[in-house]
Amino acid sequence: AQETFEATYPFHPTVLSVFERKWQTLHSFQRTRGILRLLAQWVADAYEDGFKGAHQDPLIALGTAPLDDQFFRASVLDQLGEERLQAAILADIAGEEAHAVRLDAEAPDTLRRLRLHRKVATALFFESSGGQQRQEATVPELRLAVGEPDLDVGYVETALEALQDACYYLGFEGNRYRFSIRPNLNKLLADRRAALDAH
């Protein structure tokens, strides 16, 4: 494991492996130029965040992908060849009022500092969006993707449960999860009713 981490530094090994395991089968995926451009944007964003003191993540991991940056997001969607996933990103993962962002803001101190809901949602997006064979993320994949020295991996399931209850575009079956282009209409309706009842 140590050799793997050293070989992929400053990236977490799952960042590079997700492109090999799942994304390389996409028709629109540009294996060299496109992915290098995407990784360069990712590194630049991580450097800027670290320089500003915003976040001190030990590695550039799937969960730290800057999906809130419109240029990075556009590059990701271009590689996926699926612009309609932008709705899922903005509503559930990285928009100003996204569910994962809200859940982090409301979380206890430890989880808020780790930005765990957003990291889990972002890693889940990358693991479940690419590939022709298996468009889903499993709990072990997510634990590996967001695991870091100060994190009790049991919190990953806690974050997943909260995301299941809140997100509009997150589907799940057993311990397999995926973001979709289709919203959960029952969840949307229930949230609208709750908002009306509150008034």
Side-chain angles (χ1 to χ4, degrees):
Q2 182 175 335
E3 289 175 6
T4 304
F5 275 87
E6 286 174 355
T8 61
Y9 183 83
F11 293 101
H12 188 288
T14 57
V15 171
L16 303 179
S17 77
V18 78
F19 299 122
E20 293 171 358
R21 288 180 292 116
K22 297 187 176 180
W23 286 41
Q24 71 174 344
T25 58
L26 293 165
H27 297 299
S28 58
F29 185 63
Q30 298 172 25
R31 294 188 179 138
T32 307
R33 189 180 62 226
I35 196 60
L36 287 176
R37 187 171 54 244
L38 190 69
L39 293 174
Q41 285 180 277
W42 204 332
V43 169
D45 192 84
Y47 176 79
E48 190 175 325
D49 265 5
F51 183 74
K52 291 178 182 174
H55 306 296
Q56 298 296 323
D57 295 303
L59 293 171
I60 298 172
L62 283 180
T64 65
L67 289 174
D68 54 338
D69 179 300
Q70 65 176 352
F71 300 110
F72 181 83
R73 186 170 63 245
S75 294
V76 168
L77 295 174
D78 184 50
Q79 290 295 317
L80 287 171
E82 184 53 84
E83 295 289 324
R84 294 175 295 176
L85 279 168
Q86 177 155 270
I89 294 171
L90 296 177
D92 291 337
I93 305 168
E96 285 183 28
E97 297 180 21
H99 292 106
V101 172
R102 178 184 54 78
L103 287 168
D104 279 338
E106 296 170 355
D109 235 22
T110 312
L111 298 183
R112 185 182 319 125
R113 277 197 310 274
L114 291 170
R115 306 177 331 277
L116 188 60
H117 295 93
R118 183 162 169 190
K119 285 181 179 180
V120 169
T122 304
L124 197 161
F125 174 82
F126 275 91
E127 286 284 356
S128 69
S129 296
Q132 311 274 318
Q133 303 297 319
R134 195 167 63 82
Q135 292 187 328
E136 60 191 17
T138 63
V139 173
E141 285 174 330
L142 295 171
R143 281 181 174 170
L144 178 61
V146 301
E148 57 185 73
D150 296 330
L151 176 67
D152 175 347
V153 291
Y155 286 135
V156 172
E157 277 95 334
T158 305
L160 274 169
E161 287 172 17
L163 290 166
Q164 280 176 230
D165 291 340
C167 292
Y168 293 150
Y169 292 87
L170 178 60
F172 55 92
E173 187 174 328
N175 73 340
R176 299 178 185 283
Y177 302 82
R178 89 181 281 264
F179 276 106
S180 167
I181 58 173
R182 291 181 192 83
N184 180 333
L185 297 178
N186 292 331
K187 174 72 183 131
L188 277 165
L189 184 60
D191 280 5
R192 295 244 168 94
R193 281 188 178 151
L196 290 172
D197 291 344
H199 293 2

